[in-house]
Amino acid sequence: MNDKLTPLREQIDAIDAQILDLLNQRAKVAQQVGHVKAETNAPVFRPEREAQVLRGVAERNPGPMGDTELQTIWREIMSACRSLEKRVTIAFLGPAGTYTEQAAYQQFGTAVDVLPCSSIDEVFRATEAGTAEFGVVPVENSTEGAIGRTLDLLLHTSLSISGEVSLAVRHSLLTGTGNMDGVTAICAHAQALAQCQIWLNNNYPDIERRAVSSNAEAARMARDDHSIAAIAGERAGVRYGLGTVKANIQDDPHNRTRFAVIGQLKAGPSGQDRTSLALAAPHKAGSIYRLLGSLARHNVSMTRFESRPARTGTWEYYFYVDVEGHVQDEGVAKALEELQGNAAFFKVLGSYPVSLT
Ligand SMILES: C=C(O[C@@H]1C=C(C(=O)O)C=C[C@H]1O)C(=O)O
């Protein structure tokens, strides 16, 4: 047995030495890139370039390594290289252990400084003030729909969306003991309670449900008080030392949440981009039809159309529209120019590379 293993391990050691050498070669080039950027005051983080590198890895991958696993490794390589140019600070909807934290690492890798914030408003404030270069906030959930507060704040912020992250959201029922003995309340964010309501109705119809500020906060409460069960991701469970009563209790097995990366940066075109817009239509017959007609005429595909009350008490709405392509793409530019002329309110929230997952 050992005789067979020894030469194989020697091969791995030799390959590791090459990987180590190549990684440091890559890091030195990234440092040079950093010097060039510093001379011109150019942004360190370039999401369009990182998206291209990650797509290229999957396209060129001959296997047996999986595309997703390689992309995870490359994300960390780029994160480490980037941190040699400059370490960026990322604000996110905390506390530690939330899905938003996971989304932040998914976008930037782990060689970043993080600033957990207690509300979506605080993420916007910290990023607008420059305390963090980027912020990460939830935008919509495939079961429960839009995160209203994020949409409201996007309307008037000076920040742009420079990235999107889509994560599979799986909820577990967690307690300090790993069972439900003595549990009198199930705590979670209101969104998570809503995403698990059928399962809760079927299994624990009589236990009180209590909405708290985040699932991670519920996990922290469950750690300190064994009369409380939390609904949260396994990540939060591990972080707070909880036992799993039942995993995957979300009503929709395909439950996903989409997050936006916000910051001063406007991402360049990566070749596979999306553009988010906020619009209001004038109070005239056919005005929405005219707005959307501009997209159709220039062959621009719409991937999302969402309305939200303008909060004027007059049944006026803002429309949140996502289209395929980048504002610098010719068709998109023409469509938006035309659309802007017909809109009562028009704002490009940002163009950014399409999420890998
Ligand atoms: C090295 C660069 O800086 C950063 C690091 C990257 C990398 O490690 O590949 C890619 C894009 C940037 O976010 C670059 O802009 O090319």
Side-chain angles (χ1 to χ4, degrees), residues 26 30 33 37 44-46 49-50 53 77-78 81-82 85:
R26 190 185 196 285
V33 170
K37 287 177 182 170
V44 167
F45 175 59
R46 297 289 300 274
R49 167 72 182 158
E50 295 199 6
V53 171
I77 292 175
M78 290 193 289
C81 287
R82 191 194 327 119
E85 297 177 46

Side-chain angles (χ1 to χ4, degrees), residues 140-141 143-148 171 188-196 215 257:
E140 61 175 335
N141 174 265
T143 311
E144 278 304 294
I147 315 294
H171 294 306
H189 189 269
Q191 282 263 344
L193 288 172
Q195 290 163 22
C196 302
N215 295 345
T257 296

